[in-house]
């Protein structure tokens, strides 16, 4: 059985001081979580995060990772730097990275490769635009994103990663895909994995939904057979809301 995994993506929010406060609120609220819990704060909060969450059930993630070990890559960060802080997960290919920072299928694949080579689990994001959904292109587009991101991975590697299905039109907009719509696309992603990497990898890979997931809709999304968790933006910035998503409490 796949263990559910809920990850908070704080994006470009929280100073180190504010991060300390939020982690301190989250630790007691999340201590009995039945699923895996990951927090991806900004890089500048990794130092306080490392100190505060040591010995707790909260795992540390980041929002990006570079493919090279070191070098002339201004503004980027390497796996070696991240490992120092005990980082275990890295979001790769978030639609905001693809949209605003020129991330491509190729660089997503290279970043995911670097994460895996360094014992960091990539959370690979895929998702269609509203135009693509309305034009009936969702399945073709997402399966090509998945194939490109996973290119060159072994079956065992694919079984160990996280894929996040995040329809772009649902991110930060308050518009969530219905649970049925999300399930349909997530099941299609699992099928794409099965075709390329076999049934075992497809049965093992954990696939999250992301896009305006909140305490109200989390339970119905999580009840879907192929949805194994969530990547939470806005609702991860408030301790109580995030804890309720983790507990899947309905209001
Ligand atoms: P949101 O963001 O929950 O604020 O829609 C999700 C994400 O971008 O990962």
């Amino acid at each position: 059985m796949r263990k559910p995994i809920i990850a908070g993506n704080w994006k470009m929010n929280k100073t180190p001081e504010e991060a300390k406060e939020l982690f301190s609120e989250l630790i007691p609220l999340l201590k009995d979580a039945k699923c895996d819990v990951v927090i991806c704060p900004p890089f500048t909060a990794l130092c306080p995060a490392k100190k505060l969450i040591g010995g707790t059930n909260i795992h540390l993630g980041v929002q990006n990772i570079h493919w090279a070990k070191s070098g002339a890559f201004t503004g980027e960060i390497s796996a070696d730097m991240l490992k120092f802080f005990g980082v275990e997960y890295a979001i790769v290919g978030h639609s905001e990275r693809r949209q605003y920072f020129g991330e491509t299928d190729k660089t997503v694949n290279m970043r995911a490769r670097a994460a895996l080579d360094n014992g960091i689990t990539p959370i690979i994001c895929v998702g269609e635009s509203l135009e693509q959904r309305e034009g009936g292109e969702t399945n073709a587009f997402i399966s090509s994103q998945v194939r490109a991101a996973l290119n060159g991975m072994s079956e065992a590697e694919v079984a160990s990663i996280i894929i996040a299905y995040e329809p772009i039109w649902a991110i930060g907009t308050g518009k969530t895909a219905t649970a049925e719509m999300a399930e349909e696309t997530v099941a299609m992603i699992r099928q794409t994995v099965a075709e390329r990497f076999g049934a075992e990898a497809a049965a093992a890979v954990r696939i999250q939904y992301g896009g305006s997931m909140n305490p109200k809709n989390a339970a119905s999304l999580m009840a879907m057979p192929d949805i194994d968790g969530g990547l939470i933006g806005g609702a991860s910035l408030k301790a109580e809301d995030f804890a309720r998503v983790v507990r899947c409490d309905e209001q």
Side-chain angles (χ1 to χ4, degrees):
M1 266 319 282
R2 297 182 298 268
K3 189 173 182 192
I5 178 164
I6 305 278
N9 172 12
W10 289 4
K11 307 192 180 184
M12 197 174 72
N13 292 293
K14 304 292 173 188
T15 64
E17 279 305 311
E18 291 166 344
K20 261 194 222 170
E21 220 168 282
L22 184 49
F23 273 116
S24 305
E25 286 170 32
L26 284 168
I27 291 164
L29 290 173
L30 299 176
K31 72 177 191 337
D32 298 319
K34 295 197 173 53
C35 59
D36 287 337
V37 180
V38 182
I39 301 285
C40 305
F43 296 128
T44 46
L46 289 179
C47 194
K50 182 188 183 208
K51 284 188 194 138
L52 283 168
I53 67 174
T56 74
N57 59 333
I58 300 177
H59 299 271
L60 195 54
V62 286
Q63 302 168 22
N64 195 13
I65 183 171
H66 196 261
W67 52 84
K69 202 172 161 55
S70 63
F73 299 102
T74 302
E76 289 284 332
I77 194 149
S78 75
D80 280 349
M81 298 166 183
L82 299 172
K83 282 193 292 189
F84 174 83
F85 295 101
V87 167
E88 295 174 85
Y89 294 86
I91 298 173
V92 172
H94 190 280
S95 63
E96 287 151 15
R97 299 283 324 163
R98 295 180 191 255
Q99 188 177 352
Y100 305 128
F101 302 103
E103 201 75 71
T104 64
D105 281 345
K106 174 84 186 138
T107 56
V108 168
N109 177 253
M110 288 161 77
R111 292 182 196 276
R113 178 76 263 151
L116 283 168
D117 287 346
N118 285 280
I120 293 172
T121 303
I123 300 175
I124 298 173
C125 302
V126 296
E128 82 287 3
S129 66
L130 188 57
E131 231 180 10
Q132 287 167 323
R133 176 151 292 265
E134 288 175 350
E137 296 159 33
T138 301
N139 288 4
F141 179 69
I142 289 181
S143 65
S144 86
Q145 277 190 323
V146 169
R147 283 168 196 276
L150 274 45
N151 188 32
M153 288 184 195
S154 69
E155 288 165 20
E157 283 172 337
V158 171
S160 76
I161 66 165
I162 316 289
I163 299 173
Y165 166 55
E166 299 207 300
I168 296 169
W169 47 271
I171 296 176
T173 57
K175 284 186 203 156
T176 332
T178 62
E180 291 72 22
M181 193 190 278
E183 166 63 17
E184 193 184 314
T185 307
V186 167
M188 187 278 298
I189 292 172
R190 202 176 294 290
Q191 184 54 35
T192 301
V193 171
E195 281 160 20
R196 174 69 186 74
F197 297 95
E200 226 172 281
V205 66
R206 290 187 287 179
I207 309 179
Q208 298 173 318
Y209 168 80
S212 299
M213 193 161 161
N214 59 44
K216 284 191 190 146
N217 57 31
S220 61
L221 286 157
M222 294 290 291
M224 290 291 152
D226 285 287
I227 299 178
D228 305 315
L231 183 55
I232 321 296
S236 72
L237 296 171
K238 292 201 187 102
E240 188 55 47
D241 282 359
F242 186 68
R244 281 167 51 213
V245 171
V246 166
R247 291 194 304 260
C248 277
D249 290 352
E250 286 200 82
Q251 270 197 331

